[in-house]
């Protein structure tokens, strides 16, 4: 990979953004919008006959034109209005039995009524579609998006009309070696529109993006280690308009702190101001304080354009000092658990606050103050509900296992997903770690790929820590030495270990871990599988007793690691995976959960809960 890649992508617009795709609208739920969730007609298209001719050339009159017969003799071999429906948001795998294992294109269609308003722009927002998406509105192509776990939106103003409107998308979840994630991954490849679809209405000139967080201590920003607990009471605020307009006023107000100040945009439509907040209560797991924030923009060039955006934002600092993680300047142990974005009880992709509340409540019952949202950005409800509940978050992009490290398009894809993850959640105070990868094999190409991602993340956000889940590759008998060139680019050393599952559990008391870096250590994964309700000897794999003993031995082993600052065992709840097929035990589920797919707590749950009480 050429080193030119990083420079170009930091300075330039992403090449994957088409003309109608616009930068992500910050805090979509606080804007005036209508929901386009509900029943969408669908057509399965494994041979892509709706997009290509039989010579594999793109069609000009594919399914996206939504053709209707004008004469009895017209040949049209599809009809969305007569097609069956799927509920959106929702994956097709759990809604249609025949599509349980399906990977490929599916067309989705929705009619909706709308009356346009002069001087307004319309932004069509998708919370996520897995994996590759093409969008048409009233037959006009809006654009193409790659990536299954981050939001994207299009300016559809010119495509909409008064009265009935039609949205048609082609969603394709086929796996590909150059994708992010690549062809092989250990979770279910749920396809479809898996998160909310919204149509927002904004003024011609609007606040496109904004940021408000507590300033990172200066020593940390410069790459130095703070020598004492850091104290700061300065809030950094900036906002950006969708248009390059100088002299526009953007006011930020935090009523509880008696703060109300106005920033003026520069020639690029960007405004920045620092706010002093001397009586600020800092967010923490024991005090998940949120402040109501109002952002007001009145367009000086018109008399009738005024925009008000409400948010609730938490303020805190997160940094490191030697082998400690400091929250608000004080050492904290991250008592965590890893979580997949899978619905409790029914499976399928989580997509609402109720799903989030169930999973996070189980994490709280375990004693957690932190969750690792693996292995991709989870839905916005998950992050916001965690913030309200006092739970810190590790958020990750799916650079998982073996990525096409030398492929430029793959890097652009990964950086775009990293950008969109940070963009959506940069105002959530509970997000403390951006993770750039999981269990990636060492190579020069991989190091260049991931180090560029780490550097890019720091250009987007200086207030959080950078990490990744590494692998231990320097094992010799009972000595495990972590040796990863990426240690220079991360703030926290994190790695996965599976003593007791992929190595005999009796080895745990003999293990010695050597981590030659003066940085905090998180064990990002450890654990083993058990089928809930299956009992036997502690030496019998798949029993609850086996899993419980594995955890006892591992926790005793981890207690000996110098600099241990947190753990996120694998995993909170059993989840679906096509790699886990053992009949009668796995049945297409990864059984490493501390809780079953039906909500039953296994013995190991209580082992971890008791251990966290000591931390």
């Amino acid at each position: 990979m050429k080193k030119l890649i990083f420079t170009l992508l930091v300075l330039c617009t992403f090449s994957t953004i088409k003309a109608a795709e616009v930068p992500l609208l910050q805090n979509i739920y606080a804007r005036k919008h209508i929901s386009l969730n509900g029943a969408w007609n669908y057509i399965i298209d494994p041979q892509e006959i709706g997009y290509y001719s039989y010579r594999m050339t793109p069609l000009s009159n594919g399914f996206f034109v939504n053709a209707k017969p004008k004469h009895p003799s017209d040949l049209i071999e599809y009809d969305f209005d007569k097609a069956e429906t799927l509920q959106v948001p929702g994956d097709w795998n759990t809604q249609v039995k025949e599509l349980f294992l399906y990977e490929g294109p599916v067309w989705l269609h929705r009619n909706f009524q709308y009356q346009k308003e002069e001087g307004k722009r319309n932004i069509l927002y998708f919370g996520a579609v897995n994996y590759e998406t093409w969008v048409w509105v009233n037959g006009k192509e809006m654009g193409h998006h790659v990536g299954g776990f981050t939001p994207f939106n299009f300016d559809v103003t010119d495509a909409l009309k008064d009265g009935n409107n039609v949205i048609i998308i082609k969603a394709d979840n086929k796996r590909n070696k150059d994708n992010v994630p690549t062809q092989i991954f250990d979770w279910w490849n749920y396809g479809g529109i898996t998160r909310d679809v919204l149509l927002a209405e904004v003024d011609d000139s609007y606040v496109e993006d904004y940021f408000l967080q507590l300033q990172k201590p200066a020593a940390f920003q410069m790459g130095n280690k703070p020598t004492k607990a850091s104290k700061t009471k300065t809030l950094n605020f900036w906002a950006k308009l969708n248009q390059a307009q100088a002299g526009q006023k953007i006011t930020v107000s935090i009523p509880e702190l008696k703060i109300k100040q106005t920033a003026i945009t520069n020639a690029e439509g960007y405004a920045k101001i620092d706010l002093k907040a001397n009586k600020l209560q800092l967010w923490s797991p024991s005090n998940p304080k949120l402040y109501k924030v109002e952002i007001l923009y009145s367009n000086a060039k018109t008399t009738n354009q005024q925009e008000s955006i409400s948010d609730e934002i938490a303020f805190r600092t997160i940094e490191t000092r030697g082998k400690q993680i400091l929250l608000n300047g004080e050492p904290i142990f991250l008592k965590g658990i890893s979580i997949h974005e899978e619905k409790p009880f029914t499976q399928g992709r989580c997509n609402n606050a109720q799903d989030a509340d169930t999973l996070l409540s189980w994490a709280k019952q375990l004693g957690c103050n932190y969750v690792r949202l693996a292995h991709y950005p989870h839905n916005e409800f998950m992050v916001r509900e965690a913030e309200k509940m006092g739970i810190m978050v590790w958020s990750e992009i799916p650079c998982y296992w073996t990525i096409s490290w030398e492929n430029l398009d793959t890097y652009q894809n990964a950086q775009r997903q990293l950008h969109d993850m940070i963009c959506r959640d940069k105002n959530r105070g509970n997000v403390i770690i951006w993770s750039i990868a999981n269990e990636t094999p060492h190579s020069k190409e991989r190091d260049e790929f991931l180090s560029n991602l780490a550097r890019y993340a720091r250009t987007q956000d200086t207030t959080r820590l950078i990490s990744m889940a590494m692998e231990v590759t320097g094992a010799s008998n009972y000595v495990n030495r972590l040796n990863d060139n990426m240690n220079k680019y991360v703030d926290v050393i994190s790695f996965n270990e599976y003593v007791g599952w992929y190595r005999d559990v009796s080895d745990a008391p003999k293990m010695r871990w050597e981590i030659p870096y003066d940085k905090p250590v998180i064990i990002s994964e450890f654990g083993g599988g058990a089928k809930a309700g299956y009992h036997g000897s502690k030496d019998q794999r798949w029993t609850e007793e086996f899993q419980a003993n594995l955890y006892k031995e591992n926790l005793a082993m981890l207690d000996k690691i110098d600099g241990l600052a947190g753990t996120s065992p694998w995993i909170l709840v059993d989840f679906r995976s096509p790699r886990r097929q053992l009949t009668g035990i796995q049945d297409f589920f990864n059984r490493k959960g501390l809780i079953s797919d039906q909500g039953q707590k296994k013995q190991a749950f209580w082992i971890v809960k008791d251990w966290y009480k000591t931390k």
Side-chain angles (χ1 to χ4, degrees):
M1 181 193 299
K2 298 184 184 300
K3 293 187 177 179
L4 181 64
I5 292 173
F6 173 73
T7 304
L8 286 176
L9 291 181
V10 169
L11 297 177
C12 301
T13 302
F14 288 105
S15 62
T16 51
I17 294 183
K18 300 288 186 178
E21 186 174 1
V22 291
L24 193 64
L25 190 61
Q26 182 65 221
N27 193 6
I28 181 72
Y29 293 98
R31 314 298 182 112
K32 181 180 178 182
H33 67 270
I34 62 171
S35 172
L36 296 177
N37 294 343
W40 287 55
N41 304 97
Y42 73 93
I43 297 175
I44 308 165
D45 192 10
Q47 293 195 8
E48 298 192 76
I49 61 173
Y51 194 77
Y52 294 109
S53 74
Y54 73 106
R55 302 295 189 190
M56 284 304 293
T57 57
L59 295 169
S60 60
N61 62 339
F63 287 2
F64 45 85
V65 304
N66 194 30
K68 303 296 180 186
K70 296 179 180 179
H71 304 285
S73 62
D74 287 349
L75 177 61
I76 298 176
E77 297 183 278
Y78 69 97
D79 187 341
F80 280 113
D81 294 328
K82 294 180 180 178
E84 295 182 355
T85 61
L86 290 169
Q87 285 298 310
V88 169
D91 56 273
W92 59 60
N93 310 80
T94 55
Q95 294 190 62
V96 183
K97 181 179 179 181
E98 291 78 11
L99 298 182
F100 181 62
L101 290 165
Y102 180 73
E103 296 179 323
V106 170
W107 295 85
L108 293 113
H109 156 278
R110 192 190 195 285
N111 292 302
F112 67 99
Q113 297 293 314
Y114 194 73
Q115 295 296 316
K116 297 182 66 174
E117 185 176 342
E118 186 176 352
K120 301 293 184 181
R121 305 212 65 80
N122 303 108
I123 308 298
L124 178 60
Y125 170 93
F126 294 88
V129 182
N130 193 33
Y131 170 79
E132 191 166 5
T133 314
W134 293 258
V135 179
W136 292 265
V137 175
N138 294 326
K140 297 180 181 179
E141 184 174 0
M142 295 294 100
H144 168 224
H145 181 267
V146 177
F149 302 100
T150 50
F152 56 98
N153 45 218
F154 301 95
D155 187 329
V156 298
T157 307
D158 296 337
L160 290 180
K161 59 185 180 181
D162 290 338
N164 187 62
N165 290 266
V166 179
I167 299 175
I168 293 175
I169 81 161
K170 181 164 80 84
D172 191 342
N173 70 332
K174 282 196 303 289
R175 291 167 294 116
N176 184 287
K177 69 180 183 64
D178 294 328
N179 286 354
V180 182
T182 187
Q183 285 178 306
I184 299 175
F185 45 89
D186 191 12
W187 65 85
W188 205 264
N189 188 25
Y190 292 114
I193 306 174
T194 57
R195 297 179 188 162
D196 288 342
V197 184
L198 307 174
L199 183 65
E201 184 180 270
V202 294
D203 292 325
D204 279 337
S205 176
Y206 60 89
V207 176
E208 177 183 277
D209 197 6
Y210 63 86
F211 172 83
L212 179 61
Q213 283 287 278
L214 185 59
Q215 181 174 289
K216 180 79 77 173
F220 189 91
Q221 291 189 53
M222 297 171 60
N224 300 322
K225 299 180 177 66
T227 56
K228 59 182 179 179
S230 302
K231 303 295 182 182
T232 180
K233 296 294 184 179
T234 300
L235 303 178
N236 298 142
F237 171 77
W238 60 255
K240 183 181 180 301
L241 300 179
N242 66 311
Q243 299 176 355
Q245 293 185 356
Q248 297 294 313
K249 295 180 179 181
I250 301 177
T251 300
V252 57
S253 172
I254 310 175
E256 190 173 346
L257 295 174
K258 296 181 171 57
I259 290 174
K260 186 176 183 180
Q261 293 193 38
T262 299
I264 308 299
T265 60
N266 61 17
E268 287 73 43
Y270 176 85
K272 180 180 179 181
I273 194 169
D274 291 337
L275 311 170
K276 294 299 182 182
N278 295 321
K279 296 183 179 181
L280 190 68
Q281 290 187 50
L282 299 184
W283 182 97
S284 69
S286 60
N287 180 40
K289 173 66 177 177
L290 297 174
Y291 285 93
K292 184 177 181 181
V293 175
E294 297 287 342
I295 298 167
L296 179 66
Y297 166 49
S298 299
N299 191 333
K301 297 182 178 181
T302 67
T303 59
N304 62 347
Q305 288 194 1
Q306 181 168 302
E307 180 179 31
S308 179
I309 305 167
S310 296
D311 206 343
E312 287 189 312
I313 297 179
F315 303 112
R316 55 92 195 99
T317 61
I318 190 73
E319 54 197 303
T320 64
R321 180 175 61 204
K323 296 191 174 185
Q324 293 179 320
I325 294 175
L326 307 181
L327 176 68
N328 302 326
E330 301 296 332
I332 189 168
F333 187 86
L334 302 186
K335 299 182 284 188
I337 192 70
S338 296
I339 301 179
H340 258 304
E341 190 186 51
E342 189 158 289
K343 282 181 174 289
F345 306 111
T346 60
Q347 287 69 64
R349 281 271 166 258
C350 296
N351 53 41
N352 57 52
Q354 183 179 355
D355 294 338
D357 287 342
T358 299
L359 294 172
L360 294 170
S361 293
W362 286 340
K364 291 280 283 187
Q365 291 170 25
L366 186 63
C368 295
N369 60 13
Y370 141 78
V371 292
R372 178 188 179 211
L373 301 184
H375 286 292
Y376 39 77
H378 287 214
N379 68 82
E380 188 170 353
F381 295 110
M382 191 70 168
V383 181
R384 284 183 176 268
E385 291 302 301
E387 187 175 39
K388 295 175 185 175
M389 295 171 70
I391 300 176
M392 295 172 284
V393 164
W394 157 315
S395 190
E396 185 167 290
I397 59 170
C399 287
Y400 181 91
W401 290 356
T402 304
I403 295 292
S404 297
W405 307 115
E406 298 180 71
N407 186 289
L408 174 59
D409 288 340
T410 302
Y411 180 81
Q412 289 179 326
N413 184 349
Q415 185 173 304
R416 173 70 193 275
Q417 292 190 47
L418 178 61
H419 170 275
D420 292 349
M421 174 178 73
I422 294 174
C423 180
R424 190 194 73 182
D425 291 335
K426 61 181 176 287
N427 292 312
R428 305 280 66 80
N430 62 324
V431 178
I432 60 169
I433 294 173
W434 302 124
S435 171
I436 57 175
N438 176 78
E439 289 185 357
T440 51
H442 296 193
S443 70
K444 178 182 177 181
E445 294 75 19
R446 168 266 203 178
D447 292 348
E448 185 175 350
F449 188 109
L450 294 182
S451 62
N452 281 344
L453 285 181
R455 283 191 287 262
Y456 179 76
R458 296 189 194 283
T459 70
Q460 301 299 293
D461 181 17
T462 62
T463 69
R464 292 170 175 84
L465 307 176
I466 306 296
S467 193
M468 58 180 282
M470 302 173 178
E471 289 185 300
V472 177
T473 58
S476 176
N477 293 325
Y478 299 110
V479 177
N480 291 290
R481 182 178 177 83
L482 190 65
N483 183 19
D484 196 313
N485 293 331
M486 284 299 297
N487 76 84
K488 301 184 292 290
Y489 303 99
V490 298
D491 302 303
V492 179
I493 303 298
S494 306
F495 64 90
N496 302 344
E497 65 86 6
Y498 280 97
V499 174
W501 191 249
Y502 299 118
R503 182 166 179 165
D504 195 283
V505 72
S506 63
D507 290 343
K510 309 169 191 175
M511 285 290 179
R512 189 169 84 250
W513 298 87
E514 294 183 356
I515 305 167
Y517 313 118
D518 187 27
K519 295 183 178 182
V521 174
I522 295 176
I523 309 304
S524 38
E525 290 181 28
F526 68 98
K531 183 176 181 180
Y534 183 48
H535 296 285
S537 164
K538 69 178 184 178
D539 298 320
Q540 184 179 353
R541 194 177 287 266
W542 303 115
T543 64
E544 288 195 38
E545 288 75 12
F546 181 95
Q547 186 189 43
N549 182 62
L550 182 153
Y551 267 90
K552 287 179 182 177
E553 296 293 347
N554 268 265
L555 294 173
M557 174 186 69
L558 299 182
D559 265 332
K560 301 174 185 177
I561 293 179
D562 181 41
L564 184 68
T567 63
S568 48
W570 193 258
I571 186 168
L572 181 66
V573 184
D574 292 349
F575 60 95
R576 279 200 169 118
S577 170
R579 297 176 62 83
R580 312 297 173 173
Q581 299 186 19
L582 180 60
T583 302
I585 298 291
Q586 293 171 309
D587 299 320
F588 285 122
F589 278 91
N590 185 312
R591 296 295 185 189
K592 292 188 178 72
L594 297 179
I595 302 174
S596 79
D597 57 287
Q598 295 303 305
Q600 180 180 349
K601 295 179 175 67
K602 304 176 191 178
Q603 291 181 15
F605 178 96
W606 308 104
I607 301 296
V608 176
K609 181 180 176 67
D610 288 343
W611 187 69
Y612 277 158
K613 289 178 180 178
T614 70
K615 297 299 178 184

